[in-house]
Amino acid sequence: MSDKKTFYITTPIYYPSDKLHIGHAYTTVAADAMARFKRLTGYDVMFLTGTDEHGQKIERLAREKGVTPKEYVDNIVAGIKELWKLMDISYDDFIRTTEERHEKVVQKIFKKLYDQGDIYKGEYQGWYCTPCESFWTERQLVDGKCPDCGRKVELVKEEAYFFKLSKYQQQLIEYIESHDEFIQPPSRKNEMLNNFLRPGLEDLCVSRTSFKWGIPVPFDDKHVVYVWIDALSNYITALGYMTDADEKYRKYWPADVHLVGKEIVRFHTIIWPIMLMALGEPLPKQVFGHGWLVLEGGKMSKSKGNVVDPVVLVERYGVDAIRYFLLREVPFGADGVFSNEALLNRINSDLVNDLGNLVNRTIAMVDRYFDGLIPQPAQLEDVDMELRQLAVSIPSRVEQLMDRFEFSNALAEIWKLIGRANKYIDETTPWVLAKDPSKRSRLGTVLYNLSECLRMISVLVSPFMTRTPGKICQQLGIRDESLTTWDSLAEFGKLPPGTRVQRGEVIFPRLDVEKELKELEEIQQRAKQASQSNSETHTAAKEEARAADGAVQQERQDDCQQKQEANQISIDDFAKLDLRVARVVSAEAVEKSNKLLKLTLEVGGETRQVVSGIAKYYTPEQLVGKKVILVANLKPAKLMGIVSEGMILAATDDKGNLALLTVDHDIASGSKIS
Ligand code: MSP
């Protein structure tokens, strides 16, 4: 057995969605970079990912497609594996929650917790909408009705199993308080303690009888195990926990880090550690909650049709450019906005200008001035010493930053060396040295230093980029693997003079940003239209809205908060609205509509016709003479065949009341609102 230090890293296991987007790829690329970094720096790494395949949603989607849930997920999981292959994800194991090795152990875990009294049978109470077959909590109802279809709901009670979270609450609080590294970044730790743990935990309902697609409770098969108990267990079932073949469990557990998106930190730092405490097993050393990659209009979501497809990007720009962008653009703990423009600019500046040029210039000069053979370095000058010192100082700084999951800063550190090397070319002007035969040995020193820097850079970037290091090494003519190890970075000068370089293709071709932007927008627009007309998407969106458990509810709240942040507008955006005071001159009902009224408005000297859905709240008579607020520059639209030239503003509350906005005291119609 090897005596290397172990490092166990996991991603969340993914819901089988037929289109994983760039946000999903973000978690996995980050985990992959970390796994590669740890392998490079001498660890025995176990990197686990997989799929979370049970639940009511899958059962329904499969039924609608006329296939069994297993057939449904098999198909999708194959696609997910393809995506990870495309993104060069070097996982050591891929666990599916429908595999026997997982299901059996989840049943054992459930039984053990039941036998020791931590899981008990009780009664679940909630609201049920029969036509929608959905459970709702009190909070989710709208006016006491089903939030989905608006029909009556009934109070139902059904037997269910509960997990005694409350019993372990204090123990968990103490653990979190005394282990600062457990929840990272620290803001998420405070959020968990203040928002969830200190206010008190309720026992968790851990079985369902309303659907079948789950792992049966081993001693009561009317029930299936709650998806989060099922899913979280993957981190140990994949290691053979509770089986005879548990070597991996003994070797790798506790995990060094579970990497998860911020919305599921809660499950990983409350339910999961309590499960482990109850099982008498050690807790993972760290749960790292990273931020979301959002689009300018809010969080990516398939139901909104605003997802960015990683396959399109990888096929156009290559896997390394996408991996680099994901890890460089946004500090890992924080949310970040994904935009095509930012991606293209990063590629052109960091990859084409900085790294690509350095490779090109160096290899071309060795080729031209030394017939393709890396020259021997001679006497060093101050500028050389400075470059060399910087080069050897980078690895330890990168290591420190990686240990804190600061991918972006680690890359910035590597780019300092790239930037310095480019500047070194400008300072030493090899093309001038080349004209003077007495400077030949100086020229050799300069080009040696540059070539060695390139070799070091190729090793440094290898956890982040999977293809570029090989291309650099090929151009440098490196065949000896000992020159690509982390240890080989300890001192400057490992690259043997005399190595024959091999000029190759430019590693990152320059992009025409305008052209690319246009094409990407067209592709993304087409995909959005396709997804909107795809009935499966509609079903998925509906299913999303139907999901009845509190966990999903919380996710949705987070999503809302996220949307609010991402939807903030600037004063310039607001200035695009032409809001005017308008006087209602006349109002009449619209034929065959019990919602719409047709209003004639006076706006300054102008007359406008506006159709408004306020018939249930105002009679025409009540409106005449009122001064209302008109969005005057809204594109005209036809409602029930009548052209509406603008929209009047009204407030609604969640009880269904509506009040028109009007002015505080009389002011001329046509007055501008700002
Ligand atoms: N199945 C659960 C996890 C169970 S783990 C025991 C799940 N799956 S998921 O497919 O919805 O999400 C997988 C990962 O992708 C999560 O970490 C989630 O945060 C991440 N992301 C999904 N959309 C994302 C962005 N837009 N940005 C960044 N990460 C995102 O949750």
Side-chain angles (χ1 to χ4, degrees):
M1 202 190 244
S2 105
D3 52 3
K4 276 187 184 177
K5 276 198 286 182
T6 60
F7 187 79
Y8 180 25
I9 180 168
T10 68
T11 72
I13 47 172
Y14 287 77
Y15 292 129
S17 154
D18 56 358
K19 202 107 217 106
L20 290 192
H21 54 66
I22 195 84
H24 294 119
Y26 182 60
T27 313
T28 312
V29 164
D32 184 67
M34 185 53 79
R36 287 175 187 267
F37 182 74
K38 289 291 174 182
R39 286 188 200 114
L40 184 65
T41 50
Y43 288 77
D44 171 344
V45 172
M46 169 73 189
F47 170 22
L48 177 71
T49 188
T51 40
D52 182 0
E53 304 182 15
H54 290 122
Q56 191 167 17
K57 184 165 157 179
I58 299 292
E59 191 179 81
R60 281 219 178 103
L61 287 171
R63 195 182 314 134
E64 279 164 16
K65 282 213 148 187
V67 293
T68 64
K70 185 67 170 57
E71 284 164 347
Y72 180 80
V73 290
D74 280 352
N75 194 11
I76 290 177
V77 170
I80 294 179
K81 286 187 169 169
E82 275 299 303
L83 176 64
W84 296 155
K85 199 164 154 200
L86 184 76
M87 308 271 328
D88 283 340
I89 304 301
S90 61
Y91 56 77
D92 297 294
D93 196 358
F94 187 106
I95 182 128
R96 301 182 53 182
T97 55
T98 49
E99 284 174 74
E100 198 183 339
R101 62 169 171 155
H102 174 77
E103 293 189 340
K104 280 205 155 146
V105 176
V106 169
Q107 288 185 321
K108 284 191 192 169
I109 291 173
F110 201 95
K111 173 99 174 36
K112 177 168 161 60
L113 297 179
Y114 178 75
D115 288 345
Q116 68 191 38
D118 283 331
I119 286 181
Y120 61 93
K121 200 177 210 173
E123 199 172 59
Y124 172 81
Q125 187 169 309
W127 296 94
Y128 193 64
C129 172
T130 314
C132 294
E133 276 188 74
S134 295
F135 282 102
W136 301 103
T137 61
E138 184 84 38
R139 272 194 311 160
Q140 290 171 312
L141 301 180
V142 175
D143 280 345
K145 307 245 170 64
C146 170
D148 211 7
C149 69
R151 280 176 281 205
K152 256 181 61 192
V153 286
E154 29 177 330
L155 187 63
V156 291
K157 293 179 179 175
E158 66 171 44
E159 102 187 354
Y161 289 90
F162 287 83
F163 180 33
K164 282 189 187 161
L165 294 187
S166 50
K167 176 174 156 192
Y168 294 93
Q169 174 179 322
Q170 198 46 40
Q171 194 181 334
L172 181 57
I173 292 178
E174 280 160 22
Y175 185 88
I176 293 176
E177 281 175 342
S178 59
H179 292 78
D180 275 344
E181 71 297 344
F182 179 55
I183 308 179
Q184 286 294 323
S187 57
R188 309 223 190 277
K189 161 181 161 180
N190 298 331
E191 191 187 332
M192 291 305 124
L193 283 170
N194 298 336
N195 299 357
F196 299 103
L197 278 160
R198 292 197 182 112
L201 293 176
E202 281 179 27
D203 289 352
L204 178 72
C205 177
V206 287
S207 75
R208 297 285 189 270
T209 51
S210 52
F211 62 95
K212 283 256 149 281
W213 182 239
I215 302 178
V217 169
F219 44 88
D220 191 350
D221 64 9
K222 281 203 309 294
H223 294 256
V224 293
V225 175
Y226 173 49
V227 280
W228 275 98
I229 298 286
D230 168 352
L232 289 162
S233 306
N234 91 87
Y235 301 128
I236 52 178
T237 61
L239 301 180
Y241 177 63
M242 277 189 169
T243 68
D244 293 340
D246 66 352
E247 305 78 34
K248 283 194 183 143
Y249 181 74
R250 284 186 275 117
K251 181 170 178 193
Y252 293 112
W253 192 258
D256 290 270
V257 62
H258 294 310
L259 220 58
V260 300
K262 63 177 184 181
E263 82 287 10
I264 56 174
V265 168
R266 215 156 48 91
F267 301 93
H268 286 80
T269 58
I270 298 177
I271 303 179
W272 180 226
I274 292 184
M275 282 172 71
L276 291 162
M277 282 175 173
L279 290 168
E281 301 298 335
L283 306 196
K285 293 180 201 156
Q286 186 167 96
V287 174
F288 192 102
H290 66 73
W292 281 342
L293 211 54
V294 299
L295 290 178
E296 270 133 352
K299 195 183 178 214
M300 277 176 230
S301 115
K302 199 175 97 172
S303 55
K304 282 193 274 171
N306 67 344
V307 296
V308 174
D309 185 350
V311 177
V312 169
L313 297 180
V314 169
E315 279 170 359
R316 273 183 102 82
Y317 308 116
V319 64
D320 278 3
I322 306 309
R323 289 175 60 112
Y324 174 78
F325 177 76
L326 290 175
L327 297 167
R328 176 69 181 93
E329 186 67 10
V330 188
F332 195 56
D335 290 339
V337 177
F338 178 93
S339 82
N340 293 334
E341 206 169 350
L343 168 69
L344 299 170
N345 287 333
R346 273 260 175 228
I347 295 179
N348 269 354
S349 70
D350 299 9
L351 302 182
V352 179
N353 286 352
D354 298 344
L355 179 57
N357 266 345
L358 180 63
V359 175
N360 256 355
R361 293 161 92 188
T362 306
I363 304 292
M365 288 190 290
V366 172
D367 202 35
R368 181 165 339 135
Y369 304 137
F370 288 91
D371 289 332
L373 296 179
I374 291 175
Q376 184 84 40
Q379 185 85 41
L380 298 180
E381 296 185 1
D382 285 352
V383 67
D384 309 325
M385 296 300 285
E386 194 206 322
L387 179 72
R388 286 173 168 227
Q389 270 157 13
L390 179 71
V392 291
S393 72
I394 303 282
S396 64
R397 284 217 290 278
V398 168
E399 198 158 2
Q400 280 164 14
L401 292 163
M402 287 299 277
D403 282 340
R404 301 202 297 261
F405 288 88
E406 293 186 30
F407 297 102
S408 178
N409 289 336
L411 282 165
E413 203 59 44
I414 301 170
W415 254 252
K416 273 188 199 158
L417 177 59
I418 296 174
R420 186 67 195 88
N422 272 320
K423 196 161 153 243
Y424 176 84
I425 300 183
D426 300 337
E427 287 167 353
T428 53
T429 56
W431 53 92
V432 177
L433 299 176
K435 288 189 188 130
D436 182 348
S438 72
K439 300 275 168 59
R440 185 138 181 94
S441 109
R442 177 73 198 131
L443 178 62
T445 305
V446 166
L447 291 183
Y448 180 84
N449 288 341
L450 285 168
S451 305
E452 172 68 344
C453 278
L454 269 189
R455 179 190 72 81
M456 295 176 103
I457 289 161
S458 79
V459 179
L460 288 164
V461 298
S462 64
F464 310 93
M465 299 183 169
T466 53
R467 312 286 170 104
T468 305
K471 289 181 187 167
I472 298 178
C473 282
Q474 196 178 12
Q475 299 210 17
L476 279 174
I478 293 178
R479 288 201 187 81
D480 177 355
E481 291 212 339
S482 73
L483 296 176
T484 63
T485 64
W486 191 254
D487 288 347
S488 75
L489 304 181
E491 54 185 279
F492 197 96
K494 293 258 184 223
L495 182 64
T499 306
R500 176 167 293 286
V501 302
Q502 208 183 332
R503 279 184 87 163
E505 307 236 301
V506 246
I507 54 174
F508 293 103
R510 179 170 306 284
L511 301 175
D512 174 342
V513 174
E514 291 296 307
K515 176 175 155 277
E516 291 299 323
L517 269 181
K518 205 165 148 261
E519 289 183 19
L520 277 181
E521 258 151 44
E522 280 166 14
I523 295 173
Q524 283 158 1
Q525 207 49 39
R526 276 201 299 276
K528 189 169 177 176
Q529 280 157 6
S531 91
Q532 275 161 356
S533 61
N534 176 345
S535 64
E536 188 194 308
T537 308
H538 290 307
T539 322
K542 231 166 121 195
E543 290 292 333
E544 235 169 74
R546 276 180 181 166
D549 67 45
V552 177
Q553 175 72 2
Q554 176 64 33
E555 274 163 37
R556 254 190 261 134
Q557 282 166 6
D558 291 345
D559 196 8
C560 281
Q561 189 187 344
Q562 181 64 26
K563 258 185 252 159
Q564 277 166 8
E565 283 163 18
N567 279 347
Q568 284 173 350
I569 61 167
S570 70
I571 190 76
D572 295 340
D573 294 329
F574 177 74
K576 288 185 194 150
L577 289 174
D578 184 11
L579 298 176
R580 300 283 173 160
V581 175
R583 189 172 66 84
V584 183
V585 180
S586 68
E588 58 185 271
V590 169
E591 229 180 280
K592 290 196 205 134
S593 167
N594 53 8
K595 274 195 185 160
L596 301 178
L597 291 181
K598 185 171 93 180
L599 311 179
T600 307
L601 305 177
E602 175 209 83
V603 193
E606 208 191 309
T607 303
R608 289 277 187 109
Q609 171 178 288
V610 165
V611 180
S612 178
I614 53 174
K616 284 195 189 148
Y617 310 94
Y618 291 91
T619 63
E621 300 72 49
Q622 284 173 319
L623 292 170
V624 174
K626 266 197 197 306
K627 293 243 166 106
V628 293
I629 310 300
L630 172 75
V631 183
N633 59 342
L634 192 72
K635 237 189 195 163
K638 266 194 181 170
L639 297 168
M640 300 285 281
I642 306 171
V643 176
S644 180
E645 305 161 309
M647 175 174 89
I648 59 170
L649 299 183
T652 48
D653 67 14
D654 53 14
K655 297 196 180 68
N657 298 314
L658 179 145
L660 278 176
L661 263 65
T662 177
V663 282
D664 180 41
H665 61 80
D666 198 28
I667 190 163
S669 85
S671 301
K672 193 165 168 45
I673 293 152
S674 55

